[in-house]
Amino acid sequence: MSTASAIPAIHGTVTVGVPVEQAFRVFTDSFHTWWPPQYHIGKEDLADAVLEPREGGRWFERGVDGSECDWGGVLAWEPPHRLVVTWQITGEWQFDPDPAHASEIEVRFTADGPGQTVVELEHRHLDRLVGGQAMRDAIIGGGGWSALLETFATAATATP
Amino acid sequence: MGAYGDAGLGLLGDPTRRAIFELLAQRPHSVSELAERLPVSRPAVSQHLRALKEGGLVVNRAEGTRRVYRLNPDGVAALRAWLERIWDEALTAFQKAAEAAPIDPEQEQQ
């Protein structure tokens, strides 16, 4: 059951001491080098996390056994200033191709002098994510990222 | 909604509070059950629970003589606190990676 009430977006800001082009490049091309590896959804440990550098590109993880698991897709690819990706995982722990069920993450890179960049992140439309029935089971069996997403899904469906 | 840098790491930035949150995600616990499973005193557990309750992440009810805590079924505050924690961690890691990376991609080979 969806309702009109929205979950407030998450905002984050970090200032990095590098030019805007480098900030964008590390965020995207080198995504796998900095993403905390404990936050993943595949059954296997995380071997790689990939953000394909184009609009319509995939955003996915690769497990140590080579299996791939989608996280979402690239909605906007505007180097070196803006990136929008979707996050679309259901409560049943499956990739959900329906764009109506996608939360969005927008990242903006703004030069703050020649060697400094402000990176602003917004994770929004959290209420679009579809939950499953087995949230409690999933939390018991999971933990970390999976527990988070299940909490997510429940919040999305339970919001009065 | 504050930025990450703001209140440090937020409600779940403290490792003990995070451990309590994760235990409560598994099932409801009383204060003494939590204290048994964590390397902190019972008063310390109570103090963390108070902070989590004030933040809307957990709720409690009396069960006989004990007070049992569980995650707030509303879930929204918990969800947001978790997400804020993850993005805070991710952005901090990103900052380190960006500042450690070579300025020019061509220099990576050297």
Side-chain angles (χ1 to χ4, degrees), chain B residues 31-43:
Chain B
V31 180
S32 47
E33 284 172 336
L34 288 168
E36 277 167 25
R37 298 189 61 176
L38 295 166
V40 293
S41 69
R42 205 182 142 139

Side-chain angles (χ1 to χ4, degrees), chain A residues 7-19 22-27 33-36 38-39 59 105 109 119 121 123 126 136 139-140 144-145 147-148 151-156 158-160, chain B residues 1-5 18 21-22 24-28 70-71 73-87 89-105 108:
Chain A
I7 302 173
I10 302 284
H11 291 95
T13 303
V14 69
T15 300
V16 294
V18 300
Q22 180 172 344
F24 188 89
R25 179 169 60 80
V26 171
F27 198 97
T33 65
W34 59 267
W35 182 258
Q38 67 271 33
Y39 299 127
W59 187 28
I105 298 157
F109 302 80
V119 180
L121 180 144
H123 193 166
L126 303 179
R136 180 160 289 276
I139 285 184
I140 291 166
W145 193 226
L148 159 73
T151 309
F152 221 170
T154 306
T159 307
Chain B
M1 296 313 122
Y4 299 115
R18 200 175 188 196
F21 183 85
E22 285 169 358
L24 296 179
Q26 292 167 19
R27 63 173 178 79
R70 64 192 176 108
L71 293 192
D74 173 351
V76 173
L79 158 73
R80 296 191 76 266
W82 249 116
L83 272 179
E84 281 180 343
R85 165 71 196 185
I86 282 172
W87 283 120
E89 227 174 281
L91 288 178
T92 302
F94 161 69
Q95 181 183 39
K96 283 189 191 138
E99 292 179 352
I103 295 288
D104 182 350
E108 281 179 13

Side-chain angles (χ1 to χ4, degrees), chain B residues 9-70:
Chain B
L9 301 173
L11 271 176
L12 294 176
D14 179 276
T16 303
R17 276 206 285 275
R18 200 175 188 196
I20 290 172
F21 183 85
E22 285 169 358
L23 286 171
L24 296 179
Q26 292 167 19
R27 63 173 178 79
H29 284 73
S30 68
V31 180
S32 47
E33 284 172 336
L34 288 168
E36 277 167 25
R37 298 189 61 176
L38 295 166
V40 293
S41 69
R42 205 182 142 139
V45 168
S46 292
Q47 202 171 354
H48 286 303
L49 284 168
R50 201 172 310 129
L52 289 169
K53 189 182 171 191
E54 281 167 8
L57 270 61
V58 307
V59 293
N60 65 12
R61 71 193 155 86
E63 236 175 52
T65 56
R66 19 174 250 167
R67 201 149 271 284
V68 175
Y69 285 81
R70 64 192 176 108

Side-chain angles (χ1 to χ4, degrees), chain A residues 27-45:
Chain A
F27 198 97
T28 55
D29 293 4
S30 305
F31 183 75
H32 65 283
T33 65
W34 59 267
W35 182 258
Q38 67 271 33
Y39 299 127
H40 74 102
I41 61 170
K43 290 193 178 68
E44 299 294 327
D45 283 348

